[in-house]
């Protein structure tokens, strides 16, 4: 498994915010993730960087054969080549103030490599210092250029009204584009299992170890609980595919889409991984070796471990260090704070100003996503403003220019998006025929009208920054953690914040990340009960009671965990737990299906 110079990574954010982040941070040893959702954007960004560097750009038209996969391959090959050149130039740079290689080593966390650099600095000038510098240069390796596929975004492709083969579907084509690229990096599968996609991965040799046991391309699973990791990991292992990392993300305290668990909180989830990690790896390895044997592949150099990392709502160096130390994790993910680092991510100036001014009420868990999954949104974003203007003008919905979330066939034979003008217009007309109560009708209308064209708008910041579309209305998918930061930061400053060299927090009253997530789950439970009470949710009997029990069990776990905290943290943490426990116990949990309200 690849050595990681840093103990953190920058996760995927939207479709555009990290689209070219590797070009900005990889040479400094920082790993980041590119979204493979939007091949239109990918093609535009490829042209932008080719033009910027004076390289030949050969366009791949949308109507050409296998255009989506070929666009992705071409872009990833471009990024890979640029980062390789950047890394070689960095390794050849002089060790002096302001140089690229000095910047590389100064940003590293405390580690043997950082110590070797510091020893070089104090070595006497001459042959000894030069010898140490020569040893350090090849160790300044770049971060990984990883990619993300949201497995739910796997719309079938159509041509002239006819559905094409499964290999042409969006996620399948994106996987093929990555698999055929020159990259030696990881693909992150998020949003749950996609069996046909996972089976398809097993058709590409780069996901299998070579004779020396090396994997050119690795698999990372983003999960929110242990059961999901176990099920998906075994499914892949039985096909000879090894999961090199399980990336645990908070169900609610994250950015973008929020995949809430049934009240299983991050702390207890991490504890389960900590306790069961050996047996998980053993079970996966057994299935993996058996599959390799059945396929006639060599297994003598099979991987023996898998990294475990966590992301979602981490805000301080103390939290970061605690997670790594107590849960024996291999790394952490920092996403939302990097939206305020212009040299690392792509956010247009207007949205940056809105992020800097964001208050807790401005960041909300919305119905904006056409996937029907709760989505963290910025109420003041240009996308939200444009959506509200269209609704007020009586012209709701989007023309659906990209169509990556076309799944609904309620009114059409060919799938359409829930945020499209076609669907919203028909759905609003049809609501009047669904025999709903006034409360149900109002709630349903609000949910239908909340949908945004995220496929297009999440690329808006890049479109403005790189002059693709001066009329773009960007959406921002920041997590609630954004309100704790209120100024732009350099890359060095944000890395320094993560490692405890300085503090960028603007909110001294910020709650512990575990407390924040618990608060979000309490509010989520209330909202789910409200939907259920008016007959718009079909949760099974006992669901809410189990949810409440899981939250209370989480409180008990955190009460014990507080013994690991330093004194000045423990008191406030326990007080907030007591208050939240009282809130949870006051929630009236329904035990039977409500009568339809007319």
């Amino acid at each position: 498994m690849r050595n990681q110079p840093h103990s953190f990574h920058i996760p995927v954010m939207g479709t555009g915010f990290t689209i070219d982040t590797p070009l900005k941070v990889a040479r400094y040893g920082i790993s980041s993730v590119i979204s493979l959702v939007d091949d239109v954007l990918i093609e535009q960004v490829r042209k932008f960087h080719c033009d910027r560097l004076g390289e030949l750009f050969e366009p791949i038209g949308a109507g050409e054969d296998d255009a989506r996969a070929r666009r992705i391959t071409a872009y990833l090959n471009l990024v890979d080549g640029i980062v390789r050149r950047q890394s070689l130039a960095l390794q050849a740079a002089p060790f002096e103030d302001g140089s690229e290689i000095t910047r590389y080593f100064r940003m590293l966390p405390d580690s043997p490599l950082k110590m070797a650099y510091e020893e070089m600095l104090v070595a006497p000038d001459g042959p000894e210092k030069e010898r140490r510098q020569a040893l350090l240069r090849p160790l300044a390796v770049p971060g990984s250029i990883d990619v993300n596929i949201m497995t739910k975004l796997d719309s079938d492709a159509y041509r002239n009204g006819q559905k094409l083969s499964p290999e042409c579907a969006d996620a399948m084509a994106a996987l093929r584009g990555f698999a055929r690229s020159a990259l030696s990096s990881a693909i992150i599968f998020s949003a749950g299992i996609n069996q046909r996609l996972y089976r398809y991965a097993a058709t590409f040799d780069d996901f299998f170890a070579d004779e020396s046991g090396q994997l050119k391309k690795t698999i990372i699973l983003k999960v929110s609980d242990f059961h999901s990791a176990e099920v998906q990991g075994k499914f892949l292992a039985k096909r000879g595919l090894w999961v090199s990392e399980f990336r645990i993300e908070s169900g609610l305290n994250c950015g973008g889409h929020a995949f809430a668990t049934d009240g299983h909180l991050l702390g207890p989830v991490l504890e389960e991984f900590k306790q069961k990690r050996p047996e998980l790896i053993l079970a996966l390895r057994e299935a993996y070796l058996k599959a390799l044997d059945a396929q006639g592949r060599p297994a003598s150099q099979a991987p023996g471990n898998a990294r475990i990392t966590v992301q979602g709502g981490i805000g301080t160096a103390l939290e970061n260090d605690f997670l790594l130390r107590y849960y024996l994790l291999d790394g952490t993910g920092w996403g939302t704070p990097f939206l305020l680092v212009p040299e690392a991510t792509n956010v247009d100036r207007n949205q940056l100003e809105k992020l800097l001014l964001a208050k807790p009420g401005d960041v909300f868990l919305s119905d904006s996503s056409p996937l029907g999954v709760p989505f963290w949104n910025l109420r003041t974003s240009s996308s939200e403003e444009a959506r509200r203007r269209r609704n007020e003008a009586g012209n709701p919905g989007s023309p659906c220019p990209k169509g990556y979330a076309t799944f609904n066939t309620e009114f059409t034979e060919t799938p359409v998006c829930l945020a499209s003008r076609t669907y919203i217009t028909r759905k609003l007309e049809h609501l009047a025929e669904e025999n709903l109560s006034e409360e149900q009708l109002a709630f349903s209308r609000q949910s239908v009208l909340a949908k945004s064209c995220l496929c297009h708008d999440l690329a808006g910041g890049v479109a403005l920054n790189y002059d693709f579309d001066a009329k773009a209305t960007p959406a921002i998918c920041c997590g609630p953690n954004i309100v704790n930061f209120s100024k732009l930061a350099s890359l060095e400053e944000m890395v320094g914040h993560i490692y405890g060299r300085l503090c960028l927090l603007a909110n001294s009253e910020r709650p512990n990340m575990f407390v924040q997530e618990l608060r979000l789950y309490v509010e989520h439970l209330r909202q789910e009960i409200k939907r259920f009470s008016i007959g718009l949710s079909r949760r099974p009997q006992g669901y809410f009671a189990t949810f409440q029990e899981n939250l209370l069990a989480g409180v008990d776990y955190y009460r014990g965990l507080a013994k690991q905290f330093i004194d000045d943290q423990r008191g406030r943490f326990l007080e907030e737990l007591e208050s939240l426990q009282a809130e949870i116990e006051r929630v009236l949990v329904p035990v039977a299906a409500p009568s339809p309200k007319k």
Side-chain angles (χ1 to χ4, degrees):
M1 295 174 63
R2 182 172 181 164
N3 181 43
Q4 302 284 331
H6 284 275
S7 61
F8 77 94
H9 60 267
I10 302 175
V12 68
M13 287 187 279
T15 58
F17 303 116
T18 56
I19 188 69
D20 57 358
T21 292
L23 299 182
K24 304 171 182 181
V25 306
R27 63 185 180 274
Y28 303 117
I30 299 171
S31 298
S32 59
V33 186
I34 295 172
S35 168
L36 298 187
V37 168
D38 189 347
D39 65 284
V40 174
L41 175 66
I42 284 170
E43 182 75 349
Q44 291 172 322
V45 175
R46 181 169 73 92
K47 182 180 187 305
F48 173 83
H49 286 295
C50 283
D51 291 348
R52 177 178 65 86
L53 296 169
E55 296 192 11
L56 176 65
F57 172 75
E58 295 183 357
I60 301 171
E64 296 183 29
D65 287 342
D66 208 18
R68 178 172 170 80
R70 289 170 53 218
R71 284 175 166 183
I72 289 169
T73 300
Y75 179 63
L76 296 181
N77 286 345
L78 174 70
V79 173
D80 181 57
I82 295 172
V83 169
R84 287 178 186 273
R85 295 195 297 272
Q86 290 175 338
S87 184
L88 288 173
L90 181 148
Q91 291 175 349
F95 280 94
E96 61 187 26
D97 285 346
S99 75
E100 287 282 81
I101 197 165
T102 295
R103 195 181 189 203
Y104 182 103
F105 282 100
R106 283 181 176 175
M107 280 195 281
L108 290 176
D110 292 337
S111 62
L113 183 57
K114 182 68 171 285
M115 186 180 299
Y117 167 72
E118 292 172 345
E119 289 172 351
M120 178 277 293
L121 292 178
V122 299
D125 291 340
E128 177 59 17
K129 186 180 285 283
E130 292 173 2
R131 183 186 70 83
R132 290 176 180 269
Q133 290 179 348
L135 291 173
L136 286 172
R137 291 185 187 281
L139 300 179
V141 298
S144 187
I145 306 166
D146 298 329
V147 302
N148 185 88
I149 288 181
M150 192 172 181
T151 58
K152 290 184 181 296
L153 292 177
D154 196 19
S155 296
D156 288 315
Y158 288 78
R159 181 175 294 172
N160 299 323
Q162 298 296 313
K163 185 162 72 173
L164 303 181
S165 66
E167 290 77 14
C168 297
D170 282 352
M172 304 280 275
L175 173 62
R176 182 166 60 257
F178 170 68
R180 291 177 175 173
S181 75
L183 282 178
S184 179
S185 62
I187 188 164
I188 296 112
F189 292 128
S190 63
I193 194 169
N194 180 331
Q195 293 189 14
R196 75 173 183 181
L197 184 68
Y198 290 2
R199 291 191 188 97
Y200 192 45
T203 66
F204 296 99
D205 286 341
D206 274 8
F207 289 109
F208 294 90
D210 59 22
E211 293 180 356
S212 64
Q214 298 299 310
L215 290 163
K216 183 174 182 180
K217 292 181 170 64
T218 58
I219 293 172
I220 295 174
L221 290 181
K222 187 190 291 186
V223 296
S224 56
D225 57 47
F226 185 84
H227 178 69
S228 177
E230 189 175 37
V231 170
Q232 294 188 72
K234 286 182 178 179
F235 188 93
L236 289 163
K238 289 177 180 178
R239 284 146 186 86
L241 299 173
W242 183 254
V243 177
S244 295
E245 179 181 330
F246 291 96
R247 191 162 285 184
I248 307 163
E249 184 172 66
S250 167
L252 285 178
N253 195 16
C254 56
H257 288 92
F259 295 90
T261 65
D262 295 346
H264 297 290
L265 302 175
L266 185 60
V269 168
L270 290 173
E271 185 68 39
E272 187 172 12
F273 271 92
K274 177 181 177 181
Q275 299 300 328
K276 296 182 178 180
R277 180 176 185 170
E279 66 182 73
L280 173 65
I281 302 304
L282 186 63
L284 295 183
R285 184 175 173 80
E286 181 180 346
Y288 174 73
L289 292 175
K290 186 176 180 180
L292 292 184
D293 182 63
Q295 295 173 17
R297 294 180 180 270
S300 58
Q301 299 288 335
N305 206 348
R307 284 167 50 86
I308 307 289
T309 63
V310 67
Q311 60 195 44
I314 309 169
T316 68
L318 279 174
E319 290 176 348
N320 192 76
D321 291 344
F322 179 81
L323 291 166
L324 294 172
R325 173 179 53 83
Y326 183 77
Y327 292 109
L328 307 178
L329 298 173
D330 299 293
T332 56
W334 286 66
T336 289
F338 271 99
L339 291 173
L340 298 179
V341 184
E343 64 182 293
T345 55
N346 249 311
V347 184
D348 64 284
R349 180 175 298 180
N350 189 24
Q351 264 46 238
L352 276 174
E353 292 175 356
K354 292 176 179 180
L355 286 174
L356 293 172
L357 297 173
K359 300 295 186 289
D362 295 331
V363 184
F364 69 113
L365 198 56
S366 70
D367 279 336
S368 300
S369 174
L371 298 183
V373 178
F375 180 82
W376 282 107
N377 211 338
L378 182 66
R379 200 179 303 275
T380 57
S381 73
S382 296
S383 174
E384 276 295 280
E385 291 173 346
R387 181 190 64 82
R388 289 193 292 268
R389 285 196 301 269
R390 289 193 299 269
N391 289 348
E392 291 166 3
N395 189 33
S398 162
C400 199
K402 294 181 177 176
Y404 298 123
T406 51
F407 302 106
N408 186 276
T409 55
E410 186 176 353
F411 305 112
T412 56
E413 291 186 12
T414 302
V416 297
C417 175
L418 294 185
S420 68
R421 191 162 296 149
T422 298
Y423 175 81
I424 290 179
T425 301
R426 295 191 183 186
K427 184 63 177 179
L428 290 176
E429 293 171 352
H430 193 262
L431 283 177
E433 304 170 10
E434 293 185 10
N435 197 27
L436 301 174
S437 69
E438 289 186 11
E439 190 174 17
Q440 288 174 325
L441 180 60
F443 199 99
S444 298
R445 281 184 55 84
Q446 181 180 354
S447 179
V448 171
L449 290 169
K451 298 295 183 286
S452 296
C453 184
L454 298 181
C455 295
H456 184 63
D457 289 358
L458 283 172
V462 189
L464 292 174
N465 285 347
Y466 293 168
D467 295 326
F468 301 153
D469 181 5
K471 297 181 179 180
T473 55
I476 301 287
C477 56
C478 55
N481 202 19
I482 195 67
V483 301
N484 299 304
F485 298 85
S486 63
K487 68 175 184 177
L488 300 183
S490 68
L491 182 61
E492 282 93 344
E493 286 173 331
M494 188 57 70
V495 173
H497 175 80
I498 293 170
Y499 293 143
R501 298 168 191 155
L502 72 159
C503 181
L504 297 177
L505 276 187
N507 178 15
S508 60
E509 297 301 311
R510 172 190 177 273
N512 178 279
M513 60 178 290
F514 291 144
V515 168
Q516 173 67 8
E517 187 199 46
L518 180 55
R519 286 178 177 172
L520 295 173
Y521 266 103
V522 174
E523 179 58 28
H524 180 71
L525 175 60
R526 290 196 182 104
Q527 292 301 316
E528 286 294 293
I529 290 175
K530 180 179 179 181
R531 289 175 60 89
F532 183 84
S533 67
I534 63 174
L536 291 178
S537 171
R538 297 181 179 179
R539 295 295 187 183
Q541 187 171 3
Y543 169 81
F544 295 106
T546 300
F547 197 113
Q548 187 180 49
E549 290 168 5
N550 289 336
L551 293 184
L552 291 172
V555 170
D556 286 340
Y557 170 81
Y558 285 140
R559 193 174 286 114
L561 186 70
K563 298 173 184 177
Q564 304 292 329
F565 293 0
I566 56 178
D567 291 342
D568 62 345
Q569 288 182 304
R570 188 183 307 124
R572 181 185 171 192
F573 184 78
L574 289 172
E575 288 177 6
E576 291 174 322
L577 282 182
E578 293 300 322
S579 175
L580 286 167
Q581 178 175 338
E583 283 191 45
I584 297 166
E585 291 172 342
R586 285 196 298 268
V587 174
L588 296 178
V589 173
V591 294
S595 300
K597 295 186 177 182
K598 299 293 192 293

